[in-house]
């Protein structure tokens, strides 16, 4: 079970040799008992990159339909170790009583101590979809599910491919008054419009003006945020028109974003 480490000399996740005192401090810090199998693995190397790049999953993840991505396991320590868990739980608004053992950003793997103090199951957390999946009943079972997935390049390209939308889709979302889809489309275009040959800037500004009058405050916030993102690209007359529309808005977040745009226009 201990032969999982990649032995990369520049490994940022590899911590100092594990001490029994560090184990006790960590267990006291979290008020739990760490799995013996996890400690055994860390005694060979206290965290680091692993020779595998995937784990089997009973449900689809952001990576694939039957597997998830993993390239390291965190050891016991403060920097790049499990003791950073509280910071990331707060940063990404994740549940309490879990201990992160791998991941970053929107995807994590963790010990699930929500219903136990010992022998925790292993969970996969997708913060983008607010989904939590139990991927193993124990750490040893989790290790047994690690494998090397050959088509990592294709999967990474698919995972990090910029989201797309079209003018036709946006028109349909507006017609259906699909709030979530409208907001997503506004944001997608605002972030990447210069790379979208199929999106006409004049059409987009017309939609921003139209949606600036929408009754849903989240849509109005997205409109003014888009104007803030693209202030360098949009015609000043459009920006002033949006400022005029939003100057007496009832939503505080809209007003705050409007003030940011006003400052930029000075």
């Amino acid at each position: 079970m201990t032969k999982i480490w990649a032995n990369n000399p520049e490994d940022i996740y590899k911590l100092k040799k594990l001490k029994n005192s560090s184990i006790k401090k960590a267990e006291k810090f979290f008020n739990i008992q760490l799995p013996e199998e996890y400690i055994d693995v860390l005694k060979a190397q206290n965290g680091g990159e692993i020779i595998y790049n995937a784990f089997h999953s009973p449900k689809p993840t952001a990576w694939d339909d039957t597997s998830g991505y993993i390239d390291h396991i965190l050891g016991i320590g403060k920097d790049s170790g499990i003791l950073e868990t509280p910071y990331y739980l707060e940063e990404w608004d994740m549940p309490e009583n879990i201990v992160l053992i791998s991941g970053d950003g929107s995807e994590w793997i963790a010990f699930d101590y929500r219903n136990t103090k010992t022998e925790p199951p292993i969970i996969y957390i997708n913060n983008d979809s607010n989904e939590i999946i139990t991927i193993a009943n124990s750490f040893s079972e989790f290790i047994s599910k690690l494998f090397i997935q050959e088509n990592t390049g294709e999967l990474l390209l698919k995972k990090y491919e910029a989201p797309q939308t079209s003018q036709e889709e946006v028109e349909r979302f507006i017609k259906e008054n699909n709030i979530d889809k409208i907001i997503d489309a506004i944001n997608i275009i605002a972030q990447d419009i210069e790379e979208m040959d199929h999106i006409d800037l004049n059409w987009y500004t017309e939609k921003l003006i139209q949606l600036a009058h929408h009754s849903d405050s989240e849509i109005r916030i997205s409109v003014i945020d888009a104007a803030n993102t693209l202030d360098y690209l949009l015609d000043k007359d459009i920006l002033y028109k949006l400022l005029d529309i939003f100057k007496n808005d009832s939503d505080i977040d809209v007003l705050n974003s409007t003030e940011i745009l006003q400052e930029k226009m000075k």
Side-chain angles (χ1 to χ4, degrees):
M1 184 183 293
T2 57
K3 296 179 181 180
I4 65 170
W5 305 114
N7 293 322
N8 178 1
E10 298 181 358
D11 190 343
I12 62 171
Y13 298 104
K14 184 177 180 180
L15 306 180
K16 293 180 180 179
K17 188 173 178 64
L18 186 63
K19 298 179 180 178
N20 288 331
S21 59
S22 298
I23 299 170
K24 292 178 180 178
K25 286 180 181 178
E27 292 182 327
K28 184 177 181 181
F29 179 76
F30 292 112
N31 191 29
I32 50 87
Q33 182 179 325
L34 292 167
E36 288 185 15
E37 297 89 348
Y38 172 67
I39 292 173
D40 288 342
V41 167
L42 297 190
K43 285 180 177 178
Q45 180 178 307
N46 189 13
E49 297 175 7
I50 58 176
I51 59 176
Y52 304 100
N53 63 10
F55 60 88
H56 292 289
S57 174
K59 294 181 180 180
T61 69
W63 172 254
D64 194 22
D65 287 343
T66 59
S67 64
Y69 181 74
I70 182 171
D71 62 2
H72 68 275
I73 291 177
L74 297 176
I76 296 176
K78 290 184 178 179
D79 297 324
S80 300
I82 63 173
L83 295 181
E84 287 190 316
T85 289
Y87 169 79
Y88 289 112
L89 295 189
E90 182 177 358
E91 179 75 11
W92 289 93
D93 193 25
M94 289 185 279
E96 296 180 352
N97 299 318
I98 65 174
V99 176
L100 302 174
I101 59 171
S102 189
D104 61 73
S106 59
E107 292 180 85
W108 296 90
I109 297 165
F111 292 131
D112 185 3
Y113 285 102
R114 290 175 296 174
N115 298 307
T116 183
K117 294 290 186 181
T118 63
E119 301 300 327
I122 312 299
I123 53 175
Y124 160 82
I125 303 168
N126 186 332
N127 289 316
D128 288 337
S129 62
N130 293 317
E131 186 174 24
I132 296 178
I133 301 170
T134 299
I135 54 177
N137 293 317
S138 65
F139 184 75
S140 58
E141 181 185 328
F142 171 65
I143 292 296
S144 72
K145 290 188 174 185
L146 297 178
F147 68 103
I148 298 174
Q149 190 149 304
E150 299 295 341
N151 59 338
T152 26
E154 294 176 15
L155 288 170
L156 280 171
L157 183 63
K158 178 182 177 182
K159 178 181 178 183
Y160 294 110
E161 190 176 45
Q164 296 289 320
T165 190
S166 67
Q167 294 181 185
E168 292 75 20
E169 282 184 326
V170 176
E171 296 285 6
R172 187 176 79 251
F173 298 153
I174 293 173
K175 184 177 181 180
E176 296 171 351
N177 198 31
N178 189 324
I179 306 297
D180 291 339
K181 293 292 187 181
I182 293 172
I183 293 170
D184 286 344
I186 292 172
N187 295 336
I188 288 169
I189 297 173
Q191 294 298 323
D192 214 25
I193 191 170
E194 292 184 282
E195 302 299 323
M196 295 179 171
D197 296 333
H198 58 290
I199 299 293
D200 180 73
L201 181 60
N202 291 329
W203 168 88
Y204 183 59
T205 55
E206 289 175 4
K207 294 301 112 178
L208 291 181
I209 296 297
Q210 176 185 346
L211 294 169
H213 297 280
H214 200 282
S215 60
D216 186 88
S217 63
E218 293 297 324
I219 287 182
R220 301 199 306 278
I221 291 169
S222 294
V223 169
I224 193 65
D225 285 348
N228 274 313
T229 300
L230 298 174
D231 65 294
Y232 68 97
L233 192 62
L234 299 179
D235 189 275
K236 283 193 174 182
D237 288 340
I238 297 296
L239 297 176
Y240 282 122
K241 183 176 285 189
L242 289 171
L243 286 174
D244 189 59
I245 293 170
F246 289 129
K247 65 182 179 182
N248 295 316
D249 199 277
S250 59
D251 189 277
I252 187 64
D253 290 325
V254 173
L255 293 175
N256 288 339
S257 292
T258 301
E259 289 178 3
I260 295 172
L261 184 58
Q262 283 176 326
E263 287 296 318
K264 291 181 177 180
M265 298 292 287
K266 288 182 179 179

